[in-house]
Amino acid sequence: MTERFAPPEADVDRARRLLRDANGIVVLTGAGVSAESGVPTFRGAGGLWRDHRPEKLATPEAFARDPLLVWSWYQWRRDLVERCEPNAAHHALAQLCSDRSDVRLVTQNVDGLHERASDAIGAAGATAVQPLTLHGSLFGTRCTGCGTRSGARSQRVDTTSVDTLPRCDGCGAPLRPDVVWFGESLDADVLETAFEAARASEVCFVIGTSALVQPAASIPLATLDAGGSIIEVNPGATLLSGLASVSLRAPAASTVPLLLSRPSSST
Ligand code: BV8
Ligand code: ZN
């Protein structure tokens, strides 16, 4: 567990004011927002996924070469994420999206924790706004033949052997995880929607990403180029830190609710 950091009060107040007064916010999250839920990140400490590097297995070449290894890795990740719960950052962001129509949540994550936090808001009777997912869903499948998608919750995959791996009911071709692999293009409409939101927002609120993976890492730059500013929450420095108006060296689960809580009367 990341011990609780106390970011400088002045930075917290400044970030809180920028977010409160912003005319449009685009939120970009990465694996770090789920770290305190127990989901390993890709590149941080513990970022090895059961001794596999994501870049080595999250590729079409790896799937073509060894579909059983790739599906075993994805099923292992699904089992791990199933045991995790959205944390206070996911819930605070779901509430923000529900409260403000000028906020757009864009995530690089495939773990479904933002979706589960939004579902919880909906179950409580408030407006549930689903995130824009750039890289797909860990729990979805897509047919390698006809492209049919399973939707977010697909069957558990039997990884006993290649012969027990899932195949399409329609055309019989192998099913793959419904995620965007390295070397694959993102959905053009999803990407354009994300960049439009970034250009139209006064603040890009970047949480828990190393800002290394493109094209997602360029989304905050679109807000900057349009005259907006960046607020970052990350215990580590990133390529965006020097461009941020406020960069809080702090963990998401305690810091994001702090920045989004109702401003105290003094600020
Ligand atoms: C593309 C789904 C056009 C899969 C993911 C060579 C050939 C082809 C392409 C490339 C190439 N070289 C470079 C590229 C581009 C490539 C890329 O960017 N590579 C990187 C590694 C350099 N991008 C692509 O391939 C993209 N497609 O470019 O298409 C194209 C097409 C053909 C040919 C050329 C170009 C597709 C990228 C999508 C890949 N799929 N996920 C799966 O998950 O299995 S990306 C994967 O990385 C996850 O989605 C993850 O979210 C994402 C980004 O990582 P982060 O989220 O930032 O996670 P990371 O671990 O890095 O950082 C965590 C951060 O959290 C850290 O900063 C840490 O400090 C912080 N943190 C830790 N604890 C906390 C915290 N923060 C807050 N609170 C805490 N408690
Ligand atoms: Zn098919």
Side-chain angles (χ1 to χ4, degrees), residues 31-42 45-47 49 77 80-87 90 109-113 116 138:
V33 78
S34 298
E36 289 157 278
S37 293
V39 183
T41 59
F42 281 71
W49 284 71
R77 290 172 64 185
L80 183 145
V81 168
E82 291 263 317
R83 297 192 297 271
C84 298
E85 291 298 326
N87 63 54
H90 295 107
N109 299 343
V110 296
D111 59 28
L113 292 183
R116 284 166 56 186
L138 189 59

Side-chain angles (χ1 to χ4, degrees), residues 143-148 168-173 175:
C143 176
T144 57
C146 65
T148 304
C168 178
D169 295 338
C171 74
L175 299 183

